[in-house]
Amino acid sequence: MNASHEFILRVRNLRTHFHTDQGIARAVDGVSFDIPAGKTLALVGESGCGKSVTALSILGLVPHPPGEVSGEAIEFEGRNLLAFSEAEMRRIRGNEIAMIFQEPMTSMNPVFRIGDQIGAVLRLHRGLSKAAAREEVLALMQRVGIPAAESRLEDYPHQMSGGMLQRVMIAMALSCHPKMLIADEPTTALDVTIQAQILDLLRVLQRETGMSILLITHDLGIVAEIADEVVVMYAGKKVEHAPVAALFAAPKHPYTRGLFASLPAMQQHRQRLYAIRGAVPAPTDFPAGCRFHPRCPYAMDCCRRDEPPLLETGDAHRTACWLHDAGVMAAQGKAPGLPPEAAP
Amino acid sequence: MTPDLLVVQDLVKHFPVRKGIFSRVAGHVRAVDGLSFRIPRGKTLSLVGESGSGKTTTGRAILRLIEPTSGSVRFDGIEVTSMNRQDLRALRKRMQIIFQDPYGSLNPRMTVYSVLSEALRTHRLPQATGARDRVYELLSLVGLPPEAADRYPHEFSGGQRQRVGIARALAVEPELIVADEPVSALDVSIQSQILNLLEDLQQQLGLTYLFIGHDLSVVRHISDSVAVMYLGRIVELGPVEAVFEHPVHPYTIALLAAAPVPDPARKRRRILLPGDIPSPINPPTGCHFHPRCPDAQPGCARCETPLIEISPGHWVACPVHAPGAPANA
Amino acid sequence: MKANAKNKKQSYWRLLGRQFLRNRLAVAASAILLLLLLTALSAPFLASGQPIYLIKDGKTYWFSNVVTQRDLANFDFRTWERKPGDYGIWPVVHYSPEESSLRNRLEPPSRSHFLGTDDRGRDVLSRMIWGTRISISVGFVAVGISVFIGIIIGALAGFYGGKVDMIAQRVIEIMMCIPVFFLIISLIAFLPPSIYNIMGVIGITGWTGVARLVRGEFFKLRASDFATAARATGLSDRRIMFRHLLPNALGPVLVSATFGVAGAILTESALSFLGFGVPPPTASWGEILSQSKRYIDFAWWLVTFPGAAIFITVTAFNLVGEGLRDAMDPRLRQ
């Protein structure tokens, strides 16, 4: 078994820091994960948790200065992207790893026709002729479900709806047969019925092409629909990592559990919602120890002092929380694990 | 029976679309196209819909922050649409609004204290000496410490700003609050804090809410009744349980099916609606939904689609699933 | 909230100030402007033929350089024979800007006249110092007038839109079609020569830029949620315009006003150079420069010093304006 081919991307101890007036913002601080080939890994977290910065770091798109990316490795098919030059990265971006964004409108150039914009990518990366590129664009647009694709080739971005533009973005991303797609909140700006269409499209395309997807989202509903594996991030740290079913069945980190509990479920009505107290700390001012401890209902002394390591808590289920450390809990005369569901 | 605080009847708002150098009116955006509903005092009605459904316009037209084109809005028995400016300013003490974007809804150059005390002064609420105390009272009502009074908006997080926005709305002691997507821009963990706050305030102060939203689970959580909007019209209206448990209109059904549910094990019937939401400048004829409707009949493009009461309080505008009125309601 | 407690009480202007202070060039330019302002304010103490403090014939006089003392007004201090016990403190330059001496015409810089004399034997340094007053006050008052007009018209146009905006826009366009300098010259020709007329004319011809700026900002701001919230609170239009919208539009106006002061100073100098400026014998930089026309072949000091003063002042205002503009640009902020 060759480990480097089982995983398309291996991120090892990634650190992305920003130097600001207020000090060093440790936006991503030692995050590791692997994406199996052909699978979807979701990075979940609230604003400021570092999930988007992680994606930008992988593609080498963090502005420097003020940003600084370091870490052990970002291994893409066995090659360390951290050691790549800007020119080498350009060959990777859009070609082997493609990315789609939350706001399709702002990612398109408003003065060029849709067909020309996708065509330009094809001609650049695949060296197609103008006519061949047009053929290919048409095929791509049909593939992502744009109706009357031929006539829409001549449209400008503002003539298309948000959902259509996101399809165009996906078509553009697919144009060079990438091995991996990074989707940064791809449906957040879209309406519910359109969002469902786009998620469906991503699922179908993944099945057809076998590409891996790194999905960045704050919406646990979307994670449940499309992800195979989930990494939950909080304040620049990975707090939990599990296969999707395991995570949703039994979240192990108090933060993850809090997130689930604060969702107004469709089934219940007018019950008081669980709320995680306080707010996410500023990235320049993360607390010592476990970064979640000021908001955690179970915080112990060691949480305020020492950063919890990532602990194996079950089959491929890992979480960074002292509650799961047998030694720490035994010292308190308790069994390791998250306390049973108590009304906080 | 509770008397209705707000009664909206046939509310219409068309925005002219101007073209050319002479600003010729080339068409109308039919943002709100004949809306009727009522909210009993102390209750919450939600307007749900996707972009272009006209829900935000409806909220602003009720407060006359946008002048409605026609129709009637009665607040506590008083007609709002024909009111003069003087009376309108007085009425604004009784109807307030909370906004979606916690960053854009607060004046960046004013401290929280000046924002809140200004609202108090405008309506001469407390005696001059009591303004500071009242500001502190408002802040504690929305769960902010008194020190917050002397800060500027940019010193707060999104959730805290939303609390300030709520405090501003509460300053004039309103009876009706139009909450325009108040939690859509917030993180999940903050969203539940604000939803709890809104519910607590409703109980404490007897507020009536017109809640505008697109997140169905939030709407389900907070409302007593729901109006589902599509292209400026209500397609289904009823008590929250009826609409969510027994949806009748194909659009409502599709909307509920499309909402992602945080449960990977749940295999649900997926209804993928084809196509996009049409432009409200040229909405489809007949039932606006017919081009995307899985159950559309040939007649749907032609017929009018009035709301029919299919069970007490549950109204549906669909010629297929709610044909004709059992008794002309 | 803990995270925010550190940078507590940071109003927008404070943030702006901090950003501005990082721009060394702009800070240096501000220092020059401050120096000019002080020069203008303390002109009587820097250059005057009258003493600041004097004991003469057993009588004590205070501040005759500021307040006219009847006994001293016509006294010629140059021919003054000091008696024992007489004592005086003079300003640095003890020539008044209007004091001519035909024996000392067109003298090059020397120990008695640091920057030389003009064609009537008046001390150039003294005239330069007093000319600072004219330049600075014309700059500020003229721009004050144009900013005031510009804000009112721009605010009304941007806030109400529609017909009000249409009319305001056409007026602005008409104003912008007329070459301002010739308009100023024609207006000045009809008016009695006075510094106030110059300020007024430069002011009422220069408001269009500010008006367009304010209009644009108001257009954007009036659709913002906080403006809607203010309306929903029941505030009057005037209060929304001037309490809520204007403070948010003031930044760009300040930048434009700073550039405006530079422009106004230049215009005043040009008018004085052409002989339409402040009436003689009042000293002004442009007026000194205009004398140099005739003596340019040898009286280099008449060109160099006022020219440099105008150049430095205008450049300093522009640098400060640019500094402010950059400080306000959120893209440059880290």
Side-chain angles (χ1 to χ4, degrees):
Chain A
M1 193 171 90
N2 191 340
S4 67
H5 285 292
E6 193 183 338
F7 297 110
I8 182 125
L9 185 83
R10 310 184 62 147
V11 175
R12 285 282 156 273
N13 208 4
L14 176 71
R15 287 174 204 282
T16 305
H17 295 180
F18 292 90
H19 299 271
T20 71
D21 285 354
Q22 282 81 38
I24 296 174
R26 290 171 289 167
V28 180
D29 209 11
V31 168
S32 308
F33 55 85
D34 304 324
I35 305 181
K39 298 285 184 189
T40 301
L41 180 116
L43 283 183
V44 197
E46 299 180 284
S47 47
C49 73
K51 54 189 192 300
S52 289
V53 177
T54 304
L56 294 177
S57 308
I58 293 171
L59 282 179
L61 290 173
V62 172
H64 170 82
E68 202 179 320
V69 182
S70 60
E72 260 164 62
I74 299 175
E75 248 174 54
F76 178 69
E77 294 191 307
R79 295 167 288 171
N80 186 1
L81 299 187
L82 281 178
F84 271 32
S85 69
E86 175 57 28
E88 286 171 309
M89 273 319 286
R90 258 200 298 272
R91 243 169 286 141
I92 295 280
R93 282 198 290 264
N95 208 0
E96 295 184 62
I97 307 178
M99 186 160 178
I100 55 174
F101 299 89
Q102 177 174 347
E103 287 287 345
M105 191 57 123
T106 50
S107 335
M108 304 285 291
N109 189 330
V111 300
F112 290 115
R113 295 177 196 277
I114 296 290
D116 296 343
Q117 291 198 43
I118 312 178
V121 179
L122 287 169
R123 290 166 65 191
L124 177 74
H125 280 302
R126 286 171 53 189
L128 295 184
S129 72
K130 204 165 180 181
R134 196 185 151 87
E135 285 293 301
E136 181 73 27
V137 169
L138 204 59
L140 278 168
M141 284 174 74
Q142 278 156 353
R143 187 152 167 218
V144 297
I146 295 175
E150 189 126 20
S151 64
R152 307 231 71 166
L153 279 176
E154 308 297 319
D155 279 2
Y156 287 97
H158 72 266
Q159 291 169 296
M160 292 191 133
S161 67
M164 278 304 144
L165 275 177
Q166 198 57 284
R167 284 174 192 271
V168 170
M169 289 302 298
I170 294 173
M172 237 156 122
L174 289 179
S175 60
C176 296
H177 311 303
K179 297 183 185 114
M180 194 173 102
L181 178 72
I182 299 181
D184 189 356
E185 304 263 7
T187 60
T188 306
L190 304 177
D191 283 315
V192 196
T193 57
I194 309 300
Q195 170 176 310
Q197 295 172 352
I198 298 292
L199 290 179
D200 220 55
L201 174 67
L202 285 176
R203 232 186 331 244
V204 169
L205 289 173
Q206 181 171 40
R207 205 168 47 224
E208 286 175 11
T209 64
M211 65 180 174
S212 313
I213 298 179
L214 174 61
L215 175 78
I216 290 154
T217 183
H218 69 277
D219 190 331
L220 290 165
I222 292 174
V223 173
E225 293 223 345
I226 192 166
D228 300 301
E229 243 184 88
V230 191
V231 168
V232 182
M233 287 183 70
Y234 181 81
K237 291 273 180 196
K238 178 163 107 172
V239 296
E240 191 158 1
H241 185 168
V244 69
L247 184 88
F248 280 71
K252 297 279 170 67
H253 196 281
Y255 173 65
T256 320
R257 186 199 268 186
L259 277 187
F260 277 108
S262 42
L263 291 175
M266 293 284 268
Q267 288 75 24
Q268 61 174 13
H269 168 59
R270 285 278 172 179
Q271 269 175 28
R272 216 179 145 71
L273 291 171
Y274 174 74
I276 302 176
R277 64 186 178 204
V280 181
T284 47
D285 206 22
F286 286 143
C290 170
R291 291 185 179 170
F292 186 60
H293 84 256
R295 301 178 73 193
C296 181
Y298 314 114
M300 304 172 288
D301 280 342
C302 60
C303 304
R304 287 178 253 280
R305 209 175 45 232
D306 305 314
E307 203 179 299
L310 206 62
L311 300 161
E312 193 84 26
T313 59
D315 193 22
H317 198 148
R318 279 148 286 167
T319 184
C321 177
W322 286 119
L323 288 171
H324 296 279
D325 186 280
V328 166
M329 295 310 282
Q332 305 204 0
K334 290 182 199 146
L338 205 54
E341 213 66 68
Chain B
M1 186 188 142
T2 8
D4 294 325
L5 183 65
L6 185 76
V7 180
V8 176
Q9 218 140 38
D10 298 320
L11 187 71
V12 173
K13 176 65 197 180
H14 290 178
F15 293 100
V17 179
R18 291 177 195 280
K19 270 193 179 149
I21 44 170
F22 297 110
S23 302
R24 184 172 48 87
V25 176
H28 289 276
V29 177
R30 296 156 74 156
V32 180
D33 207 12
L35 226 54
S36 304
F37 58 84
R38 47 186 65 212
I39 314 178
R41 196 180 278 278
K43 298 289 181 188
T44 303
L45 174 100
S46 288
L47 297 178
V48 210
E50 299 180 276
S51 50
S53 63
K55 50 194 196 303
T56 293
T57 311
T58 306
R60 298 197 182 193
I62 287 169
L63 297 181
R64 273 187 67 190
L65 292 167
I66 301 175
E67 290 296 327
T69 309
S70 67
S72 140
V73 175
R74 294 178 79 79
F75 177 82
D76 202 12
I78 316 160
E79 181 60 47
V80 178
T81 51
S82 57
M83 211 172 241
N84 65 31
R85 284 168 67 92
Q86 210 55 44
D87 292 344
L88 189 63
R89 276 177 64 181
L91 186 78
R92 295 219 156 124
K93 181 175 145 18
R94 303 179 65 189
M95 310 159 82
Q96 279 295 312
I97 181 164
I98 319 174
F99 298 88
Q100 169 177 4
D101 175 16
Y103 292 85
S105 59
L106 297 172
N107 188 337
R109 305 280 195 279
M110 282 170 92
T111 61
V112 170
Y113 178 79
S114 43
V115 169
L116 296 183
S117 62
E118 179 179 54
L120 296 174
R121 258 197 325 266
T122 310
H123 293 284
R124 295 188 182 79
L125 280 168
Q127 310 311 314
T129 51
R132 191 121 204 143
D133 292 338
R134 174 73 180 137
V135 166
Y136 289 153
E137 197 184 319
L138 283 166
L139 288 175
S140 86
L141 202 58
V142 298
L144 287 174
E147 305 91 80
D150 296 313
R151 301 228 175 111
Y152 287 91
H154 69 89
E155 297 172 58
F156 295 98
S157 67
Q160 288 170 331
R161 287 181 202 215
Q162 202 56 296
R163 287 175 193 269
V164 175
I166 295 172
R168 171 180 57 199
L170 293 177
V172 297
E173 295 167 29
E175 292 151 66
L176 174 76
I177 289 186
V178 174
D180 189 355
E181 306 239 20
V183 296
S184 304
L186 304 176
D187 278 321
V188 191
S189 70
I190 308 301
Q191 172 176 305
S192 55
Q193 293 174 358
I194 299 295
L195 286 175
N196 283 340
L197 173 65
L198 287 174
E199 281 174 318
D200 293 347
L201 291 170
Q202 181 165 46
Q203 283 197 337
Q204 278 176 45
L205 308 171
L207 297 171
T208 306
Y209 289 141
L210 174 62
F211 190 94
I212 296 166
H214 71 271
D215 185 330
L216 293 166
S217 49
V218 168
V219 164
R220 162 116 209 210
H221 176 80
I222 201 161
S223 337
D224 296 297
S225 48
V226 183
V228 181
M229 289 182 71
Y230 188 76
L231 282 179
R233 292 186 188 162
I234 292 177
V235 296
E236 187 156 1
L237 167 71
V240 71
E241 298 81 15
V243 174
F244 278 79
E245 301 296 335
H246 310 289
V248 173
H249 197 283
Y251 177 65
T252 315
I253 295 171
L255 200 62
L256 287 170
V261 177
D263 181 1
R266 201 180 108 154
K267 291 280 168 268
R268 57 215 163 75
R269 192 163 62 107
R270 243 196 182 295
I271 303 163
L272 270 188
L273 285 182
D276 265 329
I277 305 162
S279 151
I281 299 178
N282 255 321
T285 55
C287 171
H288 287 348
F289 186 58
H290 82 261
R292 299 176 76 197
C293 182
D295 305 336
Q297 304 289 317
C300 291
R302 273 173 277 118
C303 60
E304 284 300 303
T305 51
L307 279 166
I308 307 291
E309 190 168 24
I310 55 157
S311 63
H314 190 171
W315 301 72
V316 179
C318 176
V320 177
H321 292 279
N328 212 345
Chain C
M1 178 151 304
K2 239 182 248 157
N4 293 324
K6 261 199 220 154
N7 43 6
K8 203 165 147 183
K9 281 238 154 193
Q10 282 202 341
S11 78
Y12 172 76
W13 297 109
R14 239 181 246 207
L15 280 172
L16 188 68
R18 213 180 52 189
Q19 200 69 23
F20 182 80
L21 289 179
R22 291 178 161 188
N23 185 337
R24 290 215 191 126
L25 207 56
V27 172
S30 325
I32 292 175
L33 292 188
L34 197 70
L35 207 69
L36 280 171
L37 205 65
L38 285 175
T39 309
L41 284 174
S42 57
F45 291 91
L46 295 174
S48 173
Q50 295 281 336
I52 298 167
Y53 172 76
L54 182 76
I55 300 171
K56 180 171 154 280
D57 306 334
K59 271 172 93 180
T60 309
Y61 303 90
W62 271 105
F63 299 128
S64 64
N65 58 333
V66 184
V67 191
T68 314
Q69 315 268 4
R70 207 186 307 149
D71 301 358
L72 303 176
N74 294 318
F75 186 76
D76 185 359
F77 285 101
R78 279 184 222 300
T79 55
W80 179 33
E81 282 164 33
R82 284 184 195 220
K83 299 187 185 94
D86 283 358
Y87 177 70
I89 300 174
W90 263 264
V92 189
V93 178
H94 41 255
Y95 298 100
S96 93
E98 279 135 37
E99 182 182 320
S100 53
S101 147
L102 294 176
R103 267 179 303 160
N104 300 323
R105 291 177 68 228
L106 294 170
E107 269 184 29
S110 65
R111 200 171 293 167
S112 53
H113 295 285
F114 296 128
L115 301 185
T117 60
D118 67 2
D119 63 350
R120 287 180 208 170
R122 296 175 295 197
D123 184 71
V124 172
L125 180 55
S126 172
R127 289 183 74 73
M128 293 274 302
I129 289 169
W130 285 82
T132 311
R133 269 196 164 184
I134 299 292
S135 291
I136 298 280
S137 57
V138 166
F140 279 105
V141 174
V143 166
I145 294 170
S146 58
V147 164
F148 182 77
I149 302 173
I151 283 179
I152 302 278
I153 292 181
L156 291 173
F159 188 77
Y160 289 108
K163 288 215 173 70
V164 183
D165 182 40
M166 216 272 286
I167 294 168
Q169 284 277 77
R170 295 301 89 77
V171 174
I172 290 172
E173 277 158 22
I174 291 168
M175 288 290 292
M176 293 186 89
C177 286
I178 304 170
V180 174
F181 195 69
F182 292 100
L183 179 66
I184 292 172
I185 290 180
S186 352
L187 284 174
I188 294 290
F190 284 103
L191 294 168
S194 125
I195 182 171
Y196 302 108
N197 286 336
I198 290 179
M199 291 170 175
V201 168
I202 297 179
I204 59 167
T205 50
W207 54 268
T208 51
V210 173
R212 292 182 86 162
L213 212 62
V214 173
R215 172 186 171 271
E217 290 290 315
F218 268 51
F219 231 78
K220 197 171 64 196
L221 290 168
R222 75 165 178 177
S224 67
D225 279 348
F226 71 81
T228 311
R231 276 205 295 147
T233 312
L235 301 183
S236 64
D237 286 355
R238 204 178 53 192
R239 197 169 167 83
I240 297 173
M241 267 193 269
F242 294 110
R243 179 100 173 90
H244 286 257
L245 303 192
L246 187 58
N248 286 285
L250 228 44
V253 172
L254 187 68
V255 173
S256 145
T258 314
F259 290 124
V261 172
I265 288 174
L266 217 51
T267 306
E268 184 275 327
S269 301
L271 284 174
S272 297
F273 182 80
L274 294 176
F276 295 103
V278 285
T282 318
S284 122
W285 295 343
E287 183 265 345
I288 305 172
L289 209 54
S290 79
Q291 290 189 13
S292 69
K293 278 181 291 186
R294 271 171 288 162
Y295 311 107
I296 191 133
D297 45 350
F298 69 96
W300 55 270
W301 59 93
L302 286 183
V303 196
T304 314
F305 300 118
I310 294 169
F311 173 75
I312 289 170
T313 310
V314 169
T315 308
F317 270 108
N318 281 327
L319 284 175
V320 169
E322 266 167 41
L324 285 173
R325 192 181 56 199
D326 292 349
M328 275 171 210
D329 191 341
R331 277 170 304 180
L332 297 177
R333 203 167 286 169
Q334 288 158 10

